[in-house]
Amino acid sequence: MIYWDYAAAAPPYEEVVRTVEQLMQLHYANPSSLHRAGADAAALIRRAREVCASALGVRTEEITFTSGATESNNLAIKGAALQYSGRGRHIVTTELEHPSVYESCLQLREMGWEVDFVKPKPDGGIDPWDIAAAVRKDTVLVSVMHVNNETGSVQPQRDIARAVKEANPRTLFHVDGVQGFGKLPGGPRDFGADLYSLSPHKIRGPRGVGLLYVREGVRLFPLISGGSHENGMRAGTENLPAIVAGAKAVRLASERQRELAGRLLPLRDRLLSFLRGIPELVVNSTEAGAPHIVHFSYPGMKGEVLARQLEQLGMLVSTRSACSSRTAEPSRVLLAMGRDEAAALGGIRISLGDGHTESDVAALETAIVKAVLALKIAEGGMR
Amino acid sequence: MRQTDSAKGLKGGTEYADMLLLRFGEFTLKGKNRSRFEKTMLRQVKERVRLYPGAKLITEYGRIYVELGGEPAEPLIATLAKVFGIASISPVKVARSELEDIVTNSLRFMEAIAPAPGTTFKVNARRVWKDFPYGSQEMNRLVSGPLLKAFPALTVDVREPELELRVEVRENGTYLFCDNIQAAGGFPLGTNGKAMLLLSGGIDSPVAAWSSMRRGLEVECIHFFSYPYTSREARQKVVDLARVLSGYSGRIRLHLVPFTEIQTSFAGIGQDNLMITLMRRSMLRIATMLAEREGALAIVTGDSLGQVASQTLSSMNVIGRATDLPILRPLVMMDKGEITELAQTIGTYELSILPYEDCCTLFVPRSPTTNPNLRIVERIEATLPGYAQRLDEAVAQTVTVDLTPHGNERPADEEEAAVQQEEWF
């Protein structure tokens, strides 16, 4: 079996597993306790915050730990909306966003907010002008993801930030950095983001921990109350093992980003040109996209069917993103990019990671040819 | 003008502000040294504004303007209000210097403030740009007319209005403001020399530090710790306290003096009621040596007359004689309530009440003397074997750390523990 679903969950580093294990054994004390063991635990969290801050090039107090990127995105969007509702009740985001952003915006819409969903161009890119045009005097927040989790399309965050701030300097800019961090260069400061979400388990860290950069001066209305943890923005006893091991993954990812991208790009390019050579398939990713995601459709064939075929052949792939793969609906992202329903139903996502080699890709290619052929025969038989 | 203690107290918030106007404190009265004071203060303002890349500084005689450029007003006000030498801050709305735009923006401004019915009010216009076609008196009328019409709840009172809208007409723009947020005031830091401050973990000494910094004194903190009798947490608490203080000064130096040996040597001589006196005198001696090393000219303490046995007049007399340096006691005539209130205002109170023992609460005799005898104390000290040497050692083993408000600085001797965990990160 070869695992091709790094974008959903990357296998943790061995050191990460070891860190979690040791910390669970040694530092079970509550970081809020006054005794020595509690103080030690608190010191570890302090250190983890420093490590993350330096990996992101931001200040220690600007890092908030959450339970995962879904919570980070929820806190960024609903927290900002509730905190700054005095500025207006309008949000701008895109059709591409991950459900944790998209659904948060829909929830706000139910609460009476106005939300504009900007459409991408057919290649999956967002035009900064479209964002600027949507920003109004009462726009509290703009949220645009860095790298799309289905197709790997990359957004010009710096230009978008500039467009947002020119249109309304008070509008906050949130970047969902989950799929971009560790794969592409750039952090919250480079992007001009006021808020930036991260998830360690996408970069070979543990799950159950997430990270939100909150620029100094920005306040968020806490969604979870109950204590003064995380600067009052998120109550709850800290998940110490995950936080420390997550910090380790964040550090490693930032240190290894260039090297990893350099290794994945040729593999991705090889896959892209291979897939383009199969007439039955439509490739939805481009060379301008992230180095670790390749997305294609078999129009008319449900993604799930193709995925099962590939699994038979020893390849674990994903139908679009894991978070929406259990719904039978066509992909919202692909529809927004102008694909027809047949293509939007047949999506397969291959996501690469640092375990993959040329020969793995060759094996995948063989499997894809076999799977497509088998399905074609079956389809012909059914007709 | 409305007087407000902090940005939070502003009704309607500070959302309308395009700019902040910083006014200088009492040092403007000082003729010759004024420019030195101004430069010192400006440097500190710059350092804080640098964290807000959109904001821009404009200096003018007697004032500093901060153009917000989209940066949030509230946190900037909060940090700038801590700069000593700044007396007050006004969030300003900027209009074009054309009558129509001034009136439109005044209306918008008043909307943001949303005055309560019956608020007394006046417009106070000033024409700095003499080419502007309307005079100050005329402007008062031209601006207040539309405002009174739009806000029937307002009543005019030109003598003592609750709300005074100031309109300053300048060539490059007209400034509208009405809030006057009180800032730290005092003298710019360091313009009155340097002193060593004895910082315990208690409520008083951080307040004494703040009060002396406010008078333009640069302060270096000295903390005595008695590890292992006192905890690492107690020491961390002092580091945290000093870091809060650095929020006012930009940076602060903290000297951590190992005090265990000296303290235990006093415990062994069977003069329990003099323990505190002997301890305080040795602290002053060490502080004096450190002052000499660091070029400081005074020692500051958080003493408040009569608060505890070591702070009776007679104790202060005997203790104070251990040093030739002037001892400054900014809190000496204040009562506990006032000190506590100040500690809350400057943000040290919550840390101060954390329940860790420090060296002053350790080995406290049941009945410390309130009336020590100088002659006896001196004789005991003379007979203590190796006393002077122990003081020198304590100074030699002192760990010094420079702290900044947002830094991660740690005393050097704590690095070891951090290294051990490094493999986890």
Side-chain angles (χ1 to χ4, degrees):
Chain A
M1 284 287 174
I2 305 179
Y3 184 79
W4 298 98
D5 203 13
Y6 277 63
Y13 287 116
E14 232 171 86
E15 305 101 279
V16 162
V17 177
R18 222 168 22 242
T19 295
V20 171
E21 184 189 357
Q22 289 179 1
L23 283 162
M24 282 187 79
Q25 284 169 349
L26 296 173
H27 290 281
Y28 43 79
N30 191 320
S32 297
S33 294
L34 277 185
H35 47 65
R36 172 74 174 267
D40 284 346
L44 284 167
I45 288 177
R46 209 159 40 225
R47 182 89 190 99
R49 217 183 290 280
E50 287 166 22
V51 168
C52 291
S54 96
L56 291 181
V58 301
R59 296 181 14 195
T60 311
E61 312 87 81
E62 294 177 319
I63 301 290
T64 294
F65 290 119
T66 64
S67 67
T70 290
E71 190 193 323
S72 295
N73 284 339
N74 271 266
L75 176 59
I77 288 162
K78 288 184 256 177
L82 295 175
Q83 182 71 34
Y84 296 105
S85 58
R87 291 183 180 175
R89 290 165 77 79
H90 180 239
I91 286 179
V92 176
T93 183
T94 78
E95 292 280 2
L96 296 177
E97 299 307 309
H98 184 266
S100 57
V101 168
Y102 197 83
E103 303 282 333
S104 292
C105 290
L106 290 182
Q107 267 188 315
L108 285 167
R109 184 185 260 179
E110 272 170 41
M111 293 162 65
W113 285 64
E114 283 182 73
V115 185
D116 278 330
F117 294 96
V118 171
K119 272 204 182 316
K121 297 176 288 187
D123 66 355
I126 295 286
D127 190 333
W129 284 103
D130 292 342
I131 298 284
V135 173
R136 316 191 305 216
K137 227 181 97 186
D138 60 340
T139 306
V140 173
L141 178 82
V142 171
S143 178
V144 180
M145 72 196 331
H146 182 203
V147 169
N148 181 264
N149 51 312
E150 289 190 38
T151 66
S153 64
V154 179
Q155 305 309 338
Q157 295 295 0
R158 228 171 304 193
D159 298 338
I160 294 174
R162 207 171 302 137
V164 169
K165 297 292 175 179
E166 260 166 40
N168 182 352
R170 283 196 207 292
T171 300
L172 297 174
F173 181 43
H174 168 242
V175 173
D176 171 357
V178 169
Q179 291 294 353
F181 185 77
K183 313 299 190 313
L184 293 169
R189 287 243 203 281
D190 309 297
F191 296 152
D194 301 297
L195 299 158
Y196 178 85
S197 315
L198 264 197
S199 170
H201 86 96
K202 307 285 192 195
I203 47 174
R204 308 195 61 187
R207 62 193 69 188
V209 64
L211 201 143
L212 182 63
Y213 157 82
V214 183
R215 181 174 67 83
E216 167 169 319
V218 175
R219 275 181 227 155
L220 298 176
F221 189 89
L223 303 182
I224 300 179
S225 14
S228 57
H229 310 84
E230 297 302 312
N231 209 0
M233 278 199 273
R234 192 222 186 239
T237 300
E238 296 87 342
N239 184 354
L240 177 74
I243 285 174
V244 173
K248 186 190 199 94
V250 167
R251 176 180 67 78
L252 291 173
S254 78
E255 285 170 6
R256 298 176 182 179
Q257 182 269 319
R258 278 175 68 111
E259 190 221 322
L260 178 65
R263 219 144 31 77
L264 296 188
L265 273 171
L267 299 182
R268 181 205 65 174
D269 289 347
R270 174 180 167 168
L271 254 177
L272 279 178
S273 58
F274 166 80
L275 290 167
R276 285 193 192 117
I278 303 179
E280 285 77 9
L281 304 183
V282 176
V283 180
N284 300 308
S285 304
T286 69
E287 271 82 2
H292 67 303
I293 295 181
V294 171
H295 189 279
F296 63 93
S297 308
Y298 186 161
M301 189 64 65
K302 287 240 169 81
E304 186 200 321
V305 179
L306 185 50
R308 297 235 183 270
Q309 275 296 315
L310 287 169
E311 187 171 335
Q312 291 291 312
L313 298 162
M315 302 292 150
L316 301 177
V317 302
S318 182
T319 61
R320 43 174 152 145
S321 77
C323 292
S324 26
S325 57
R326 288 181 189 278
T327 64
E329 298 285 302
S331 156
R332 158 171 57 78
V333 170
L334 290 180
L335 289 178
M337 282 165 60
R339 303 289 188 277
D340 60 17
E341 202 167 313
L345 271 168
I348 291 286
R349 180 183 69 184
I350 312 282
S351 46
L352 308 167
D354 39 8
H356 293 136
T357 60
E358 284 270 342
S359 68
D360 292 336
V361 174
L364 176 63
E365 287 169 357
T366 312
I368 290 173
V369 172
K370 281 187 188 164
V372 169
L373 208 61
L375 289 173
K376 221 179 134 168
I377 294 165
E379 199 184 19
M382 275 187 275
R383 272 190 191 142
Chain B
M1 250 194 288
R2 297 196 293 182
Q3 288 286 336
T4 332
D5 281 339
S6 78
K8 281 193 206 104
L10 289 180
K11 207 176 153 209
T14 50
E15 295 271 310
Y16 59 81
D18 303 314
M19 198 173 76
L20 304 178
L21 157 58
L22 316 182
R23 291 184 202 78
F24 298 170
E26 57 191 287
F27 70 85
T28 50
L29 304 173
K30 311 278 159 194
K32 255 196 218 153
N33 286 323
R34 180 182 170 131
S35 81
R36 181 171 63 95
F37 286 152
E38 276 192 31
K39 256 184 229 150
T40 312
M41 195 180 72
L42 187 63
R43 201 171 48 234
Q44 296 184 20
V45 170
K46 259 186 199 152
E47 212 162 290
R48 282 154 211 252
V49 170
R50 211 177 29 187
L51 294 172
Y52 298 80
K56 221 177 84 191
L57 276 187
I58 299 167
T59 55
E60 194 184 274
Y61 186 79
R63 282 180 174 184
I64 298 177
Y65 296 103
V66 184
E67 279 185 358
L68 291 173
E71 298 289 347
E74 258 180 55
L76 253 170
I77 293 173
T79 173
L80 290 172
K82 289 183 177 177
V83 175
F84 295 113
I86 295 178
S88 68
I89 302 176
S90 290
V92 177
K93 173 128 196 87
V94 184
R96 282 198 307 277
S97 288
E98 295 158 16
L99 183 60
E100 200 180 321
D101 202 51
I102 294 172
V103 170
T104 317
N105 275 295
S106 302
L107 286 167
R108 235 180 264 156
F109 189 93
M110 204 54 72
E111 243 168 64
I113 291 172
T119 304
T120 57
F121 157 80
K122 88 167 188 188
V123 172
N124 182 353
R126 217 177 112 214
R127 186 178 54 164
V128 183
W129 179 38
K130 296 301 176 198
D131 287 346
F132 188 69
Y134 308 95
S136 300
Q137 288 306 320
E138 225 176 334
M139 279 302 283
N140 286 347
R141 235 176 346 99
L142 290 169
V143 175
S144 58
L147 282 177
L148 290 169
K149 212 161 163 197
F151 297 92
L154 292 176
T155 46
V156 175
D157 178 349
V158 290
R159 287 232 172 70
E160 269 185 58
E162 291 164 300
L163 191 64
E164 181 178 341
L165 176 66
R166 303 272 295 263
V167 180
E168 282 189 13
V169 187
R170 290 158 182 267
E171 187 165 5
N172 51 355
T174 294
Y175 302 162
L176 306 169
F177 54 94
C178 74
D179 280 297
N180 202 6
I181 298 156
Q182 223 181 319
F187 291 98
L189 198 86
T191 49
N192 277 335
K194 181 154 82 175
M196 306 305 276
L197 173 124
L198 305 190
L199 184 69
S200 70
I203 294 168
D204 300 346
S205 51
V207 176
W210 181 85
S211 306
S212 14
M213 292 196 287
R214 189 162 183 259
R215 299 317 294 171
L217 264 182
E218 183 191 344
V219 159
E220 289 189 15
C221 301
I222 302 177
H223 177 70
F224 297 88
F225 68 96
S226 298
Y227 191 76
Y229 299 107
T230 58
S231 60
R232 281 196 318 189
E233 290 77 55
R235 219 177 74 150
Q236 183 59 42
K237 167 178 157 180
V238 169
V239 171
D240 293 343
L241 273 172
R243 211 185 288 286
V244 173
L245 293 171
S246 78
Y248 292 90
S249 53
R251 69 187 69 246
I252 209 161
R253 179 163 284 188
L254 169 66
H255 303 278
L256 294 155
V257 184
F259 200 56
T260 323
E261 295 258 322
I262 294 168
Q263 205 169 1
T264 46
S265 74
F266 294 144
I269 55 176
Q271 290 281 356
D272 271 7
N273 56 345
L274 284 177
M275 265 286 283
I276 302 271
T277 313
L278 290 164
M279 260 171 56
R280 301 294 293 181
R281 279 171 63 90
S282 63
M283 286 178 180
L284 284 183
R285 290 202 168 97
I286 290 169
T288 308
M289 288 190 258
L290 288 170
E292 208 159 289
R293 200 176 81 184
E294 304 286 326
L297 296 180
I299 294 171
V300 184
T301 72
D303 292 338
S304 168
L305 188 60
Q307 200 180 101
V308 291
S310 63
Q311 295 174 15
T312 62
L313 191 56
S314 144
S315 278
M316 281 196 215
N317 173 35
V318 171
I319 292 167
R321 280 168 199 262
T323 181
D324 292 331
L325 289 176
I327 301 179
L328 308 178
R329 299 178 171 96
L331 313 183
V332 73
M333 299 304 177
M334 284 168 79
D335 55 49
K336 198 75 189 176
E338 293 172 88
I339 298 171
T340 304
E341 214 172 284
L342 255 175
Q344 277 161 342
T345 314
I346 65 176
T348 53
Y349 182 76
E350 293 299 322
L351 279 168
S352 288
I353 57 171
L354 286 175
Y356 307 118
E357 296 284 340
D358 63 34
C359 71
C360 299
T361 53
L362 199 67
F363 308 133
V364 178
R366 221 166 303 149
S367 56
T369 177
T370 54
N371 185 20
N373 181 309
L374 180 62
R375 206 101 30 90
I376 294 173
V377 170
E378 282 174 342
R379 198 170 311 146
I380 293 172
E381 284 170 349
T383 57
L384 275 174
Y387 180 50
Q389 194 193 333
R390 245 183 235 127
L391 296 178
D392 289 340
E393 273 167 14
V395 170
Q397 287 162 13
T398 293
V399 173
T400 299
V401 49
D402 286 322
L403 301 165
T404 52
H406 303 286
N408 311 313
E409 309 89 353
R410 258 184 292 259
D413 55 337
E414 269 183 24
E415 301 281 310
E416 204 181 327
V419 169
Q420 191 197 334
Q421 304 155 353
E422 224 29 48
E423 62 178 67
W424 287 336
F425 295 95

